Amino acid sequence: MMYRKTRIALCFALCTAGAAQAASTTELVIATVNNRQMIEMQKLTPQFEKSHPDIKLKWVTLEEGALRQRVTTDIATQGGQFDVMTIGMYETPIWGKKGWLKEFKPDAGYDVDDLLAPIRAGLSANGKLYAAPFYGESSFTMYRADLAQAVGASLPEQPTWEQIRAFAAKVHNPGKGLYGVCLRGKPGWGDNMALLSTMVNTFGGQWFDMGWKPQVDSKAWHDAISFYLDLMKKYGPPGASANSFNENLALFAEGKCGVWVDATSAGTSVADPKFSKVADKVAFAKAPIAVTPKGASWLWAWALAIPGATKKEEQAQRFINWATSRDYVQLVAKESGWIAVPTGNRASTYDRAEYQQVSRFGQMERKAILAANPDDQTLPKSPYTGVQFAAIAEFQAIGLAVGQQLGAALAGKVSVAQALKTGQTAADREMRKGGYYK
């Protein structure tokens, strides 16, 4: 009888302890994008939960456009669906100034001075850091060195868009499943417009003049977009109007693209033999230029931020400190190799001998990020900050509207002239609504 009572008492104690532990566990809901680096972070969830037993992670992983829509709606309505959001250099300073985000608070060992200066500045407002960079990027050119040798073509360290077209023409062989060039075509201010804004910049254009009047229907825009459409229709893959970063990454890694201009963060994938069939055949060059080198390569960071509506700030701060720390870089290197670590955020990563040994693109990425100037990105003077976007609240709607028109033009549904005229009208309407002019 005594034995039975003892067992019951022990069971009660264990069950009570288990219930108490469950009750003390906090679930963090994290909204993130379905890029490879974020998928890697999710795989390391057990590592975080082991070192933080009072926190459980719940992931909401979305395609880029869907993510932006969900987090924008949630933050604007103070919905409180998420405790950590993956956002970028466009949203962070705007939302930080509005008081929609909690200030990021680095812990004692974080070393905030190790963050690359342009990335840190782009995630700050009023002298406060409102998001921590998970990874940062500029843009550059990736191309098949083996194909270049086979056809007697070459690309210099600083190619022009004309040289990109000439290279694409020489290697284009759709009969064998090889397309000369892969570029973003999917509509969205952060999808096709990320690339096309840099093309407009280097062709001598801008989003707005000094009076905030949209310039979408200008000669520079016509030149840039006409060049892009001609290039893609002659040498791009079929269905390109549905392709953004991940789709083009898959095509290039499968050996189906001769040249690809996109984010420097792609380097960790295309040069990784575990992911890319052409890892040993890839060469890298700077982003292409045309009339001017200004604004030819973009500046971006996918960053982790805490929405103001969360009731779990303390736990969210701990997670972000973990996911954007030097120790996290070391963890990824241990689990997946140095080629897979997130870059574009910390200077120390580029200085590591282990990273330098496996990365043929890393120093080019760092130079591109450090050289980017969001305050002097266009040939004519512009009133806005941002390379591939304008850091004003109205830009999200404008960029989407113009991106949809240019996606339709790529799909052959409208002409360049009609697309730009419609885009100009949409931009003008938003700017008038915003009170920039009457």
Side-chain angles (χ1 to χ4, degrees), residues 311-339:
K311 293 180 174 58
K312 306 168 188 174
E313 179 185 356
E314 189 271 333
Q315 293 87 350
Q317 294 279 3
R318 287 162 60 195
F319 170 75
I320 295 177
N321 269 280
W322 173 84
T324 62
S325 67
R326 285 186 179 187
D327 288 343
Y328 178 83
V329 173
Q330 294 267 39
L331 177 60
V332 174
K334 178 183 176 182
E335 296 291 326
S336 302
W338 277 96
I339 189 64

Side-chain angles (χ1 to χ4, degrees), residues 319-370:
F319 170 75
I320 295 177
N321 269 280
W322 173 84
T324 62
S325 67
R326 285 186 179 187
D327 288 343
Y328 178 83
V329 173
Q330 294 267 39
L331 177 60
V332 174
K334 178 183 176 182
E335 296 291 326
S336 302
W338 277 96
I339 189 64
V341 302
T343 59
N345 50 1
R346 290 185 169 274
S348 57
T349 299
Y350 296 103
D351 294 335
R352 292 291 298 249
E354 302 95 323
Y355 179 71
Q356 293 176 5
Q357 288 173 3
V358 300
S359 172
R360 290 176 284 119
F361 57 88
Q363 299 310 318
M364 181 178 292
E365 176 180 63
R366 172 156 67 171
K367 288 178 181 178
I369 289 173
L370 294 178

